[in-house]
Amino acid sequence: MAIRKGIFKVRNTATGEKDEVMLKTTIEQVDDLDKLTGATANAPGVWGLAPAPAKGSQNLPLCGDAKYKVLPVEGGGTGAATPEAARKNLGIDSIGVTMITYTE
């Protein structure tokens, strides 16, 4: 029984769990699948196809709000969109890590 057009639940014989799979996929079925809907502060997201990243965003992560973006250093990210800028923001140079001190 399809749970959505072209998507079926099947039992994984290795784990015993039910997995969602797409069988006999056609371009029309993929085009019919919903796009990923991002979560907000007030509502959960909805699973779907990930949005295509824009040109130049190949180093950016896809976040829970369904957008590719730079993650701030304060949140555990690099605060940068390029590897070079990330190394600079994190205090890493070609030799190694430089000393970083924080004062309040």
Side-chain angles (χ1 to χ4, degrees):
M1 167 185 246
I3 59 171
R4 285 189 13 187
K5 185 176 180 180
I7 306 288
F8 298 84
K9 281 222 180 230
V10 296
R11 185 166 304 280
N12 182 324
T13 56
T15 65
E17 296 179 11
K18 288 186 177 180
D19 294 327
E20 294 178 3
V21 296
M22 185 182 299
L23 304 174
K24 297 183 181 178
T25 307
T26 66
I27 294 298
E28 291 77 27
Q29 286 174 315
V30 171
D31 285 343
D32 259 358
L33 288 175
D34 294 332
K35 305 296 183 245
L36 175 71
T37 301
T40 66
N42 300 314
V46 177
W47 72 273
L49 294 175
K55 180 180 177 181
S57 62
Q58 70 274 6
N59 294 321
L60 301 179
L62 177 61
C63 296
D65 61 357
K67 296 178 182 165
Y68 294 91
K69 56 185 158 183
V70 172
L71 299 179
V73 175
E74 297 80 16
T78 64
T82 66
E84 295 78 18
R87 285 193 294 275
K88 181 179 178 191
N89 290 352
L90 298 175
I92 301 171
D93 58 27
S94 60
I95 298 171
V97 177
T98 58
M99 179 58 113
I100 301 173
T101 57
Y102 294 94
T103 59
E104 292 187 38

